[in-house]
Amino acid sequence: MTDFRIRPAKPADIPRLETLIERSARELSRGFYSERETESAIRYVFGVDSQLVADSTYLIVERESELLGCGGWSRRRTLYGGDQRPVGEQDLLDPRRDAARIRAFFVAPEAARRGVGRKLLEACADAAAAAGFLRLELMATLPGVPFYQALGFEPTDTVIDVLPDRQPLRFVRMTRDVIG
């Protein structure tokens, strides 16, 4: 699948993005998270971080008017979470010593394993490199771990985030050089 374009998300895109994120999470998390874990994650973790949209670092992949995926990178300390519950401070990172954050990647189930996520990650890595960053860091969901490993990310530790409804949710912190 190469007939798509990547562009920065705009505030008007947020409702469509939220719908894509919920659909992606529900379908692509099967076999990795229980239904209860997935629904809790949608409520408290998976969602658009409007600060990324405001920073013009949250990207959309689309073909004509069809939304195929979304994801971004950040020069801010926040590592994961949407507007409903960002995890980490919003202060700026120092590219000389900190890793840029890869954030909130979601792909439409019908576009999974068709190059959408790979192209999106390349666009984010290129933008982070242009901003002076040498490393990338992310908090991967369990279904995302194989994707990120295939793109050169290495796990550094496993994190269990206990969500406000007391549901524990497992993530894997991962890093790689900007040039992967």
Side-chain angles (χ1 to χ4, degrees):
M1 178 182 288
T2 59
D3 60 334
F4 54 79
R5 72 182 186 120
I6 298 175
R7 68 167 175 86
K10 298 175 184 150
D13 295 316
I14 291 175
R16 286 178 60 215
L17 292 168
E18 293 291 358
T19 299
L20 169 73
I21 289 168
E22 287 183 25
R23 195 165 60 88
S24 175
R26 285 190 178 108
E27 292 188 38
L28 300 179
S29 292
R30 285 190 192 122
F32 293 93
Y33 292 122
S34 70
E35 186 176 328
R36 185 171 189 273
E37 287 171 317
T38 299
E39 292 305 316
S40 184
I42 289 168
R43 183 171 182 195
Y44 296 111
V45 182
F46 301 160
V48 174
D49 180 340
S50 58
Q51 183 63 60
L52 296 175
V53 176
D55 289 344
S56 297
T57 61
Y58 201 59
L59 306 177
I60 287 177
V61 181
E62 57 190 357
R63 179 179 50 219
E64 296 174 17
S65 63
E66 181 185 12
L67 185 58
L68 302 176
C70 56
W73 74 279
S74 182
R75 60 178 59 89
R76 296 182 185 276
R77 197 158 302 284
T78 305
L79 188 55
Y80 67 101
D83 286 344
Q84 71 274 43
R85 185 175 166 266
V87 178
E89 300 300 320
Q90 288 287 342
D91 56 314
L92 296 176
L93 299 164
D94 181 347
R96 294 169 298 184
R97 68 169 198 269
D98 298 318
R101 307 302 197 229
I102 297 297
R103 301 278 315 279
F105 269 57
F106 295 92
V107 174
E110 64 277 8
R113 294 167 207 70
R114 303 189 73 190
V116 170
R118 181 179 294 271
K119 287 293 187 191
L120 189 56
L121 187 62
E122 288 172 6
C124 290
D126 290 347
F133 286 92
L134 302 175
R135 301 233 357 112
L136 302 173
E137 181 177 23
L138 59 87
M139 189 67 79
T141 60
L142 298 183
V145 170
F147 165 73
Y148 292 116
Q149 283 181 315
L151 295 175
F153 283 85
E154 296 180 7
T156 59
D157 61 270
T158 299
V159 173
I160 298 176
D161 186 355
V162 179
L163 302 182
D165 61 0
R166 298 191 194 128
Q167 174 62 55
L169 195 67
R170 295 165 293 148
F171 295 97
V172 178
R173 185 185 301 257
M174 303 180 83
T175 63
R176 81 159 217 215
D177 290 339
V178 168
I179 309 300

